[in-house]
Amino acid sequence: MRPAILIGGVLVGAVALTALVSVVWTPHDPGLIDVANRLQPPSPQHWLGTDQLGRDIASLLMVGAQSSILVAFLSVGLGALLGVGLGLAASALGGALEESLMRLTDIAIAFPALLLAVMLAAIYGPSLEVAILAIAFITMPVFARLSRATANQAWSREYVQAAIAMGRTRLGVTIHHVLPNIVSMIVVQATIEFAIAILAEAALSYLGLGVQPPTPSWGRMLAEAQTFLFLAPHLAIWPGLCIIAAVIGFNMLGDGLRDATDPRLRGMRR
Amino acid sequence: MTAFLLRRFATLVLTLLAVSAVVFAIMNVLPGDPALVILGIDSTPEAQAALREQLGLNAPLATRYLDWIGAALTGDFGISYSYDLPVSTLVLERLPVTLPLALAATLLMAVAAIGLGLFAAMRHGRPGDWGIMVLSQVGIAIPAFWLGILLIILFAVTLRALPPGGFPGWDEPLAAIRALILPAAALALVQAAILTRIVRSSVLDVMRLDYVRTARAKGLSRNAVYRRHVLPNALIPIITIVGLQVANLVTGTIVIENVFSLPGLGRLLFQAIANRDLFLVQALVLLFAAAVVIANFLVDIAYVVIDPRLEGRLE
């Protein structure tokens, strides 16, 4: 097994497992406010101490993993679904339609996600849905380009030509012959986009444009911790470490999977 | 060269128009009534209608877009609803914070990445190289705003060497520069982590080429080879990535200004959202997006200045 896949897999597995476990069990109720025990250092009762309201930090971090994974999953899933659909359609139909769809992705790629989230937040007010939409929108063109490029390769293969000669429709060829050829590329790219989505969610939640209170999220925990930097700087350490672990995990897993599935790209980075 | 510049400039103008249309469309076509947003749901329908009239919202969409973009070209971005001041006045007031921050971060990123990337390439396969690669892998995963918080903990809370945030204004140049050191570093270092990897691999690629071996063989010193032959040729892929990173740096200022409470354009944008000042948001988003487009235009020009052979190929 490649070390990148192993290390990445372990980190991703740990974050995912934490998120799953937190659904049924956390050491304390993450919402339980206990002002008498606020800003406590780590202890046997509170493994990582308590925050400014006396809430258990370890429990908050565990539930925070849920927010990160959920947002990443929904936004990358939506982006992949729309992007792959666009890419496959562009590749199957070709011509002026393909050209104009690709020019649209050029504009979308050039447009920073944060600015999109900001505009949507200004119109609809900040919310989790707005954050997910904004992140999905930036991942979409990446998937569209990737799936179009890979699908175009598949369309030029002889067995695809044979299938067309035998009377399969464009839709049939796309579903039965093109899609199976691009699935592994999509999965690899999705893994890398997960890392980008987790960073974006953290930044948006930190700015108050993502996960809304009282739902715990790593980005929002950092924003709250910043008020207490002089009193309890340790509050600002843990959520950041969680973000880094998740991002490194998905980055390494994605890189490792890409190297494993495509030896020509070995050692290259985006 | 002149023809190339003219064509590039035409593309720039078209891209800026496309970006402005996208911004306008998102802010105006999506369901949602600005008058309702500004006045709140408790307002009377009469008040909403009056405000719609006052804001010119009853004109056709195309007319409103042309009015908006036409006025913007003369520097008139309208009046901010919440500040009751021209948007241009607000922008000019905040620019002396954001512009130096972005420029300092870009410079710091380039210097750090080229230095570390060269160092790693020159020690290819040895512990120094390995250490820098591990550091950059971690650096890529660090959110810039968290790095900012860590820098505050280290330099402001623990060492008390630099201010934790705020900006005194350029009347006190020394204090102003001190206030920008940590924000610029937080912004630059994360981007430098990405760029360092590109510098390293690009330098390693060039080092394998024959003319580098020839230069060494004819007796040029190691440093002279790097300065005269390796670095200039390694710059092309580096510049490409820098162009992509400028977008991250520009939007990064929005986040970092909020971390360090700097009164720049990014903070103004967030106050505009909090105040539901849609026209200010629209103008600021256009400015940020335009900055990204113009930065990429400058990168395209830089390519040709560095490597005239590319003039034909970039068409």
Side-chain angles (χ1 to χ4, degrees), chain B residues 9-53:
Chain B
F9 190 73
T11 322
L12 170 74
V13 173
L14 283 178
T15 317
L16 283 175
L17 280 177
V19 165
S20 71
V22 169
V23 171
F24 185 83
I26 292 177
M27 294 297 290
N28 292 279
V29 176
L30 287 182
D33 180 358
L36 191 67
V37 170
I38 291 168
L39 294 174
I41 43 171
D42 299 332
S43 55
T44 60
E46 293 79 38
Q48 290 169 22
L51 184 63
R52 265 199 296 274
E53 186 60 43

Side-chain angles (χ1 to χ4, degrees), chain A residues 185 188 255 258-269:
Chain A
M185 294 280 279
V188 170
D255 281 358
R258 178 169 51 189
D259 287 358
T261 50
D262 189 350
R264 280 170 306 168
L265 293 174
R266 196 163 290 165
M268 273 178 61
R269 273 196 68 89

Side-chain angles (χ1 to χ4, degrees), chain A residues 52-126:
Chain A
Q52 70 280 3
L53 297 174
R55 291 174 297 189
D56 181 54
I57 291 175
S59 305
L60 285 169
L61 288 174
M62 285 178 70
V63 182
Q66 273 181 43
S67 303
S68 282
I69 297 277
L70 188 74
V71 172
F73 188 79
L74 289 177
S75 55
V76 175
L78 187 63
L81 204 68
L82 294 172
V84 172
L86 275 180
L88 287 179
S91 174
L93 300 171
L97 197 75
E98 177 176 14
E99 189 60 27
S100 41
L101 277 178
M102 288 304 115
R103 291 291 79 77
L104 273 181
T105 66
D106 282 348
I107 297 179
I109 275 185
F111 210 84
L114 183 60
L115 291 183
L116 184 70
V118 159
M119 286 193 288
L120 293 178
I123 303 171
Y124 296 112

Side-chain angles (χ1 to χ4, degrees), chain A residues 19-35:
Chain A
L20 275 179
V21 169
S22 72
V23 176
V24 289
W25 178 84
T26 49
H28 293 263
D29 176 359
L32 187 74
I33 292 172
D34 178 9
V35 185

